């Protein structure tokens, strides 16, 4: 059975901005996201449903003002084309709960895949890898 999103529970749990991004495909202002400068190893997951989306090892500094990754975890996202700005962009959504996460652009030749998954910080929860305890 498909994962069902409880919109009202999400609205109550998330910040207004996170809700607008995840469920209304809004975009946070560049340079404002809490994960932008995050460099620790760990895992990024969907802020709506908790599905793991990106490993921190695929994060890179794209200089665009949003946290960027060159590769998602297998099967974690779905792609769709949107024309919200008048030209086609490839939208990225969580494959489990269908929440909007950001867009992907083929403009990162400095990475192993050449792709830039341009994500909204508020759409992601970050779990740092636990430090080894001696
Ligand atoms: Zn999700």
């Amino acid at each position: 059975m498909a994962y069902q999103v409880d919109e009202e529970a999400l609205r109550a749990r998330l910040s207004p901005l996170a809700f607008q991004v995840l469920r209304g495909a809004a975009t946070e202002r560049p340079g404002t996201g809490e994960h932008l400068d995050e460099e620790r190893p760990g895992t990024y997951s969907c802020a709506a449903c908790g599905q793991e989306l990106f490993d921190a090892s695929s994060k890179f500094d794209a200089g665009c003002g949003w946290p960027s990754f060159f590769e998602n975890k297998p099967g974690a996202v779905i792609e769709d084309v949107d024309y919200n700005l008048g030209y086609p962009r490839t939208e990225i959504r969580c494959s489990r709960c269908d929440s909007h996460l950001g867009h992907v652009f083929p403009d990162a030749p400095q990475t192993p895949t050449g792709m830039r998954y341009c994500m909204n910080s508020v759409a992601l929860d970050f779990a740092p890898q636990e430090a080894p305890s001696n």
Side-chain angles (χ1 to χ4, degrees), residues 3 22 46-51 53 94-99 101:
Y3 179 83
L22 286 157
C46 173
C49 76
Q51 172 163 265
L53 302 173
C94 174
S95 67
R96 184 172 182 226
C97 72
D98 207 38
S99 290
L101 303 168

